[in-house]
Amino acid sequence: MGWTLAFATVAILFVLISGANDGATLIGLGLRFPRSPGWAIASLLVVVLFAGPYLLGIAVARTFTERLAGLGTSGGATAFLAGVVIAVAVVAVLTGRGLPTSLTLAVIGGITGAGFGAGLPVSWSSLGAVLAIGAGAPLVGLALGYLLGTVSRRVPSCRRMPRLVLAAHLTAYAAQCVAYAVNDGQKMIAVVSVAVDVGRDGLGGVGPVEVPPAWMAVLVALFLAGALTSLTRVGERLGRGLVITRPLHIVSAETAATGAVLGSSALGSPVSMTQSITAGVVGVAASEGARRVRWQSVMNMGTAWLVTLPSSMALGCLAGLALRLL
C-alpha cells in the first residue's frame, strides 16, 4: 500500500508539473496571437493530447521505460521512481533560481542514473542516440525559426491577410499539439503507466506501457489544471524574456518547433517541446536582427539545460545506489 501511494503521488505531481511547464508554454504561445479564442486553444491541446496515443502510438513512452535502462528486471520500478523524483527536484531547484529548464532532459538523466546506481543494465548506445537527437532538435528549431521568420517578412499584405494568418496560426498550433502528444507529452504516459502497474501488480520490474482511456482522461485533466496555474507566469516569460510580437512570427515559431519535434518522434526519441519552442522563438526574433533577442534570458536557459543532465544523472545514480544498499 505504501509503495502504491508513493507511485500515485509522484505520478500526479509529475503530470501537474508537466502541465505547468509544457502545457502553459504551448497555450501561452498560442494566446499571444491576436484574437486567438482561448477556449479553442486549450480545448485543442486537451483533445489532441488525449487522442494522440491511440491514433499515433506510444513509441516515445516506451523509450523512457525500455530503452534507457533494464527496468524490466527486479528493482526496475523503484529505480524508475527514484529517477523521476530526482528529475522533479532538479527542475524545481533550477526553476527556483530563475533558470527554467527541461523536465524531459532531467527525466532522461534521472532514470539512467538511478538505473546505473541500482546495478541495472544501462543502454549507453541508446542513451547517446537519445541525447544526440535531443540536442539536435533545438538547433533544428532555431534554424527553421530563422528561415521562416525571414520568409514571413516577405509575405505580401492583402485585405484577407488577418483571416489567412489566423487560419495558419490555428493550423500550426494544432500541428504543434500533435507533436507534443506523440513526443514530449509521452513522458507523462510512461510515469503514470508505471504507477498503475505497481498499484495492480506490486513492486518488481517495469511492465509494458498501457494507456487505458479512463486514466488517460484523468491525466489530461491534471495536465490542464497544471497549465492553467502557471499560464500567466509563462506568458510573461515568453513575452518579455524572448520577444516575438508579429502574428506571422508566432506562426513561424510554432511551425519551427513542430518540425523539430515531429522529426525526433519519427525516431522514437523524446525531446523537449519547451526547448524546441524556445529555439524557434529565438530563431524568429534573430531573423530581424540580434538586438531583437534578450540574450541574457537565452543564456540563462542554456546554462540550465547544460546543468540539468549531469546533475540529474549524478543524483539519480546516488539514489539508485542507496536503493541498492537498502
Side-chain angles (χ1 to χ4, degrees), residues 62-70 108 112 121-134 267-270 313:
R62 292 194 177 103
T63 294
F64 287 104
T65 60
E66 299 174 10
R67 290 179 58 191
L68 300 177
I108 292 171
T112 304
V122 173
S123 177
W124 298 109
S125 59
S126 293
L127 175 63
V130 167
L131 293 179
I133 295 170
L267 301 173
S269 180
M313 187 174 289

Side-chain angles (χ1 to χ4, degrees), residues 25-39:
T25 301
L26 284 164
I27 296 174
L29 183 60
L31 291 178
R32 284 190 60 77
F33 193 94
R35 298 186 302 279
S36 293
W39 64 270

Side-chain angles (χ1 to χ4, degrees), residues 88-162:
V88 171
V90 167
V91 170
V93 170
L94 290 174
T95 302
R97 293 179 176 273
L99 298 172
T101 188
S102 166
L103 181 57
T104 301
L105 194 59
V107 171
I108 292 171
I111 291 175
T112 304
F116 180 74
L120 302 177
V122 173
S123 177
W124 298 109
S125 59
S126 293
L127 175 63
V130 167
L131 293 179
I133 295 170
L139 297 178
V140 172
L142 180 69
L144 285 176
Y146 186 90
L147 177 63
L148 292 171
T150 301
V151 171
S152 69
R153 294 201 308 274
R154 301 179 180 179
V155 175
S157 180
C158 65
R159 187 182 308 174
R160 298 177 57 195
M161 181 60 70

Side-chain angles (χ1 to χ4, degrees), residues 161-226:
M161 181 60 70
R163 291 185 179 180
L164 292 175
V165 175
L166 178 58
H169 161 59
L170 293 176
T171 301
Y173 178 75
Q176 188 174 239
C177 292
V178 170
Y180 181 77
V182 300
N183 194 299
D184 198 13
Q186 296 201 1
K187 63 180 180 286
M188 297 182 292
I189 293 175
V191 173
V192 174
S193 179
V194 173
V196 172
D197 190 44
V198 169
R200 183 183 60 239
D201 301 327
L203 283 177
V206 173
V209 176
E210 298 179 359
V211 195
W215 69 248
M216 191 64 196
V218 174
L219 184 156
V220 171
L222 290 171
F223 178 83
L224 180 61

Side-chain angles (χ1 to χ4, degrees), residues 1-11 195-203:
M1 181 63 181
W3 281 112
T4 298
L5 181 60
F7 273 85
T9 301
V10 169
V196 172
D197 190 44
V198 169
R200 183 183 60 239
D201 301 327
L203 283 177

